[in-house]
Amino acid sequence: MSAQYGHTKSLNIAIVGGGLVGALEALYLAKRGHHVSLYESREDIRNTPHVRGRSINLALSVRGRKALRGVGLEQRVVDEHAVPMKARMIHKPDGSTYIIPYDSRTNQCVYSVGRNFLNSVLLEDSEKYTSVEKHFGHKLLEANLSKGELKFLRADTKEIVQVKSDLIIGADGAFSSVRKEMMKQPLFNFSQHYIEHGYTELCIPADKNGGFQMPPNYLHIWPRGNFMMIALPNQDCSWTVTLFMPFINFKQIDTESKLLEFFEKYFPDSIPLIGEKKLIEDFFAGNAQSLITIKCRPYHTLDKALIIGDAAHAVVPFYGQGMNAGFEDCTVLDELFEKHNDDPVEILKEFSEKRWKDAFAISDLAMYNYIEMRDLVNRPSYWLRKSFDDFLFWLVPDFWVPLYNSVTFSTMPYSKCIENRQWQNKMLAVFIVLVTVITFLLYMYTRM
Ligand SMILES: Cc1cc2nc3c(=O)[nH]c(=O)nc-3n(C[C@H](O)[C@H](O)[C@H](O)COP(=O)(O)OP(=O)(O)OC[C@H]3O[C@@H](n4cnc5c(N)ncnc54)[C@H](O)[C@@H]3O)c2cc1C
């Protein structure tokens, strides 16, 4: 056991899922001196190309950065690979653009990072710990969580592999098999919700000189009311473009001419950037992907199993917080390991008690942000509120933190971010009533 922390017992921990959150959690646990076996159903992502349907790049913000800092990887990820995005650039239907800064007071930005790169860095970093074993091509089939037993199917030999561990951590994503086992326990609450909108990914390639075709340090948005398109920059100067739209609209675009007509009407400036041929190829390359929200609790079974990341709280991607929240799980868990001296009984119990409110909160916020991104940003009321928020944030930054800033640029618990906004709404309502009454009284006074 690591003398650094002075623990008494090294645990044998099995992590199911070697995606972003599972790979990061492995590092945290190895750093604390535990023995970690990581089981991932797919092949090693370091040897495989991008899989369609999983976003190519992700927005990394303060919570994710903090978690990477905890294992010494923040600078490597941010400096070597990430493309900073300091504002939203809004594209109007006539092709003109305007900018909405994220944080005009301190100029903080979010970072566009490649999913494969990030996952690869996390897996690569675990090579420095002899206590981390990685088993790719191992798909979890069954589990007896209260006994710590897992059964995997090995892809290459088709063998069944049985494993027993002190603690199981399920980081196996939105369709988690560990969670399915957990659902068999009494008093486990679960809900899932597919939204009626799906998404498809397109690409704006680099220009012929290998440069960006659009200003790079922005998250580009084409808000169109009931649907929208966004683009995040990649390090090779291409853009990952994602079109979010109701499934019914995707279905209606069933010919090349309908697709071009649709793009000419709503996203004309993007056609020369993507290229007609590539637009047609990419759009019809597969079906639109679905988006799911998972809410459940508790996140643990006895002192034996825990779910984290999307397995515990998959959210729609509109706040760019799914991975950040999953990474924050790792930070929260690490603090609990420290607080409870690596005692799983207390750690798992407190994680479940503490985390669900924040997970539910970011889920609701993510749904709200879809409406803001695709529609509200076009409305004068949004601008009025944003200007008011920005002004007060500039004037009294410790007192008035706007919602977006608290979610993206602070580590304020997500549930507090909502409470904060509700409190601000009340203050604003009182302010409006006061101004109205004073104006009315002044008006009456001047008429007397
Ligand atoms: C279009 C889109 C855009 C997004 N953009 C952002 C963004 O900008 N910022 C952000 O923070 N988040 C974003 N997200 C959310 C982010 O992708 C997820 O929150 C994040 O990937 C969750 O990581 P995870 O490791 O918990 O789950 P996953 O990434 O799903 O990883 C789970 C892993 O478990 C493995 N697995 C599954 N079942 C088994 C099994 N039975 N046995 C063994 N292994 C198994 C899978 O192969 C996978 O590798 C976006 C999501 C989408 C869909």
Side-chain angles (χ1 to χ4, degrees):
M1 188 77 228
S2 158
Q4 188 186 354
Y5 295 100
H7 307 139
T8 48
K9 189 177 176 246
S10 170
L11 299 167
N12 274 318
I13 302 178
I15 298 183
V16 183
L20 296 168
V21 175
L24 178 62
E25 184 54 27
L27 294 178
Y28 268 102
L29 294 170
K31 200 175 153 210
R32 298 195 67 81
H34 296 294
H35 186 277
V36 181
S37 302
L38 189 71
Y39 296 92
E40 165 57 48
S41 58
R42 292 177 303 174
E43 286 313 305
D44 190 336
I45 199 165
R46 290 170 289 178
N47 312 324
T48 45
H50 170 72
V51 183
R52 187 182 156 83
R54 299 176 59 78
S55 66
I56 294 171
N57 51 20
L58 303 144
L60 174 73
S61 50
V62 160
R63 295 166 206 267
R65 289 181 62 181
K66 179 179 175 192
L68 290 172
R69 196 178 317 136
V71 292
L73 288 176
E74 183 194 16
Q75 283 318 314
R76 178 159 177 218
V77 170
V78 170
D79 292 349
E80 280 183 26
H81 192 84
V83 184
M85 299 182 290
K86 58 186 179 205
R88 294 167 172 172
M89 184 175 279
I90 307 293
H91 294 241
K92 295 208 247 177
D94 64 5
S96 61
T97 57
Y98 60 93
I99 286 164
I100 308 179
Y102 282 129
D103 182 359
S104 39
R105 196 179 66 88
T106 55
N107 290 325
Q108 295 205 67
C109 47
V110 290
Y111 292 85
S112 175
V113 189
R115 182 188 287 274
N116 274 19
F117 166 83
L118 187 50
N119 212 156
S120 299
V121 165
L122 295 168
L123 291 171
E124 207 176 285
D125 204 60
S126 70
E127 305 287 350
K128 72 181 187 213
Y129 296 102
T130 51
S131 56
V132 178
E133 287 170 22
K134 293 181 283 295
H135 306 273
F136 296 102
H138 279 61
K139 184 181 166 65
L140 180 71
L141 297 179
E142 274 176 50
N144 185 330
L145 299 182
S146 48
K147 290 190 175 156
E149 292 171 354
L150 298 166
K151 207 184 263 185
F152 294 95
L153 174 67
R154 230 183 115 146
D156 51 357
T157 59
K158 305 289 172 228
E159 267 175 283
I160 297 290
V161 178
Q162 306 219 42
V163 172
K164 195 166 164 68
S165 58
D166 299 322
L167 174 62
I168 296 163
I169 296 193
D172 49 345
F175 304 97
S176 166
S177 303
V178 177
R179 189 185 64 234
K180 274 177 207 140
E181 291 296 331
M182 225 171 242
M183 283 171 73
K184 295 176 187 163
Q185 74 192 29
L187 300 177
F188 186 88
N189 290 306
F190 171 79
S191 73
Q192 70 173 40
H193 175 64
Y194 280 100
I195 64 168
E196 284 168 17
H197 294 224
Y199 71 96
T200 197
E201 283 186 350
L202 308 166
C203 174
I204 295 177
D207 67 17
K208 56 181 186 313
N209 302 317
F212 281 108
Q213 291 203 64
M214 298 191 291
N217 295 122
Y218 299 95
L219 195 161
H220 290 252
I221 309 179
W222 290 254
R224 299 293 179 261
N226 198 27
F227 57 94
M228 70 170 179
M229 194 163 81
I230 64 169
L232 269 75
N234 294 311
Q235 250 224 342
D236 64 0
C237 298
S238 66
W239 294 83
T240 301
V241 180
T242 313
L243 172 62
F244 295 98
M245 192 163 68
F247 280 107
I248 190 156
N249 296 66
F250 273 112
K251 231 174 157 185
Q252 282 160 357
I253 303 174
D254 52 3
T255 63
E256 293 179 6
S257 59
K258 282 188 195 166
L259 174 67
L260 293 177
E261 212 175 290
F262 172 75
F263 264 71
E264 268 151 23
K265 184 165 179 192
Y266 294 107
F267 313 116
D269 57 334
S270 73
I271 302 176
L273 303 175
I274 301 173
E276 272 191 23
K277 189 164 166 274
K278 198 155 170 37
L279 170 62
I280 292 166
E281 264 170 30
D282 287 355
F283 187 88
F284 292 112
N287 292 330
Q289 308 290 312
S290 56
L291 293 165
I292 194 169
T293 291
I294 303 278
K295 283 182 177 175
C296 66
R297 66 184 281 235
Y299 299 132
H300 73 292
T301 298
L302 307 172
D303 59 342
K304 284 288 180 212
L306 180 74
I307 46 173
I308 58 174
D310 274 17
H313 45 72
V315 301
V316 290
F318 306 113
Y319 230 114
Q321 284 294 313
M323 168 194 67
N324 285 287
F327 279 6
E328 195 176 56
D329 287 348
C330 301
T331 316
V332 171
L333 255 184
D334 192 52
E335 285 161 7
L336 293 176
F337 267 82
E338 187 64 19
K339 176 177 172 189
H340 296 297
N341 204 19
D342 299 70
D343 172 7
V345 180
E346 295 304 322
I347 296 165
L348 270 51
K349 195 160 80 99
E350 191 170 335
F351 184 85
S352 270
E353 279 165 9
K354 188 174 171 160
R355 198 65 182 140
W356 72 269
K357 265 193 201 146
D358 294 321
F360 284 24
I362 189 56
S363 176
D364 297 342
L365 284 166
M367 284 303 302
Y368 159 78
N369 214 45
Y370 187 28
I371 304 167
E372 177 170 316
M373 283 174 91
R374 68 175 201 233
D375 190 21
L376 301 185
V377 290
N378 286 329
R379 296 180 187 225
S381 55
Y382 168 83
W383 277 98
L384 198 66
R385 174 64 193 258
K386 181 159 171 48
S387 310
F388 188 80
D389 276 340
D390 286 350
F391 171 69
L392 281 181
F393 188 39
W394 170 80
L395 196 68
V396 275
D398 294 331
F399 175 69
W400 194 278
V401 185
L403 179 65
Y404 191 87
N405 301 64
S406 65
V407 171
T408 309
F409 300 123
S410 88
T411 52
M412 182 188 288
Y414 291 123
S415 53
K416 278 282 286 200
C417 298
I418 291 186
E419 282 169 27
N420 198 39
R421 173 69 164 200
Q422 286 165 343
W423 164 84
Q424 289 172 350
N425 288 348
K426 276 186 200 149
M427 293 274 288
L428 207 59
V430 171
F431 175 74
I432 290 169
V433 170
L434 275 177
V435 169
T436 313
V437 170
I438 292 168
T439 313
F440 177 73
L441 290 176
L442 279 174
Y443 170 74
M444 294 301 284
Y445 179 73
T446 51
R447 291 194 47 151
M448 276 185 348

